[in-house]
Amino acid sequence: MKKTPTRLADGRELIYYDLRDDTVRDAADRRPLEPTVTRSEIRRDPLLGDSVAVASHRQGRTYHPPAEECPLCPSRDGRLSEIPDSSYDVVVFENRFPSLAGDSGRCEVVCFTSDHDASFAGLTEEQARLVLDAWTDRTAELSQLPAVKQVFCFENRGAEIGVTLGHPHGQIYAYPFTTPRTALMLRSVAAHKEASGGENLFDAVLARELAGERVVLETEHWAAFVPYAAHWPYEVHLYPKRRVPDLLALDEAARTEFPQVYLELLRRFDRIFEREGGEDTVSEAVSEAVSEPPTPYIAAWHQAPFGPTGVPGAEREDFALHLELFTVRRTSGKLKFLAGSESGMNVFINDVPPERAADRLREVASS
């Protein structure tokens, strides 16, 4: 991997990650951009104990532009974009409309490929490994910023998720606090460690799932399963078998195997709503006439916070790096909405039994 940092016209940082060591990246951003102005503010809820980012400047962010005006495509044919060069492998740059900025953290955009019509599932294993290396490098760099407590790498895909740009990309949020979801997991880890005499809860969960019926995919270094209490209709958790707190601690064997495993999971997600078998069965004639759009999903890396966890009894090394992959689609043409119980009380109601979801994700394995 070759890393080439540069600056955009308004001062934001941009980094090229290339597969070839001899690639030269010297294109300048020729847009007449004014310095970015952000108004990000973190406000703490005194009753719930969590934090909300208030970012009014995001109201003016780019919203569903036509493909020929995509800001994530490379600059070419006289059209200037966020990426000054005419091609790229992987690019990371500071978000022009960040939810977090300055003392409130940082937000970055990760472009997985210059091909506007591609998807992460369509990448080669070499390309997917480069994205993993970029995630790891950015985690290392962002963890050194004084304001940053936790780094979150994720991808939103699909208009149903709320994506405003169709180009294959993800984001990285660098939070100035330990997120509520992570703190909740750490509290459970601390309580289990005390009650069990020192057992790690993540290890116990992984061992239980590997011995059960919800395993979707297992290799030498990775395990993917539908969790016992899955919140979403189709939800898979991907764990390295050797517990590590973050992407930085993955060994080379796990890194080498990751692209194969992750690409297979994404491709299965794209096949789970094909009109064949189970509740989605229709006649062959109708099946040929109707094509299901790509599965919308969220892919979220959970990493340990940097420094003290802030949770008594839970050390950073107790946390287990893992990825959660889930879709808001519950069946063909129907979405899972977060209605009264979920949004009002944070009590999820899942219409698809996790065991059935695991069966379906095994059924659609690549031949």
Side-chain angles (χ1 to χ4, degrees), residues 63-64 156-166 293-297 328-329 335:
Y63 186 80
H64 291 300
N156 299 331
R157 187 181 80 162
E160 300 92 331
I161 298 294
V163 175
T164 58
L165 296 174
T295 301
Y297 65 74
V328 297
R329 187 178 290 165
L335 300 180

Side-chain angles (χ1 to χ4, degrees), residues 240-358:
K241 288 186 173 179
R242 182 178 70 88
R243 174 166 47 89
V244 294
D246 55 33
L247 289 166
L248 303 175
L250 282 176
D251 60 26
E252 183 57 31
R255 292 181 184 279
T256 299
E257 197 177 69
F258 170 78
Q260 171 192 349
V261 176
Y262 187 50
L263 290 173
E264 173 63 17
L265 285 178
L266 292 181
R267 290 162 186 168
R268 291 190 194 189
F269 258 63
D270 274 343
R271 291 193 292 267
I272 52 178
F273 298 107
E274 290 178 349
R275 304 297 186 95
E276 55 184 52
E279 61 184 358
D280 294 326
T281 300
V282 293
S283 70
E284 184 175 349
V286 173
S287 179
E288 291 178 354
V290 179
S291 61
E292 190 72 29
T295 301
Y297 65 74
I298 293 176
W301 279 110
H302 292 266
Q303 304 192 81
F306 291 93
T309 65
V311 176
E315 303 298 327
R316 186 173 190 276
E317 291 69 25
D318 293 332
F319 195 84
L321 168 76
H322 61 284
L323 181 140
E324 295 184 8
L325 174 66
F326 60 89
T327 179
V328 297
R329 187 178 290 165
R330 57 187 176 88
T331 189
S332 295
K334 297 179 181 179
L335 300 180
K336 164 66 177 177
F337 292 101
L338 300 189
S341 185
E342 291 89 352
S343 296
M345 283 296 168
N346 202 28
V347 177
F348 276 67
I349 301 169
N350 191 350
D351 299 333
V352 180
E355 293 73 22
R356 170 56 189 149

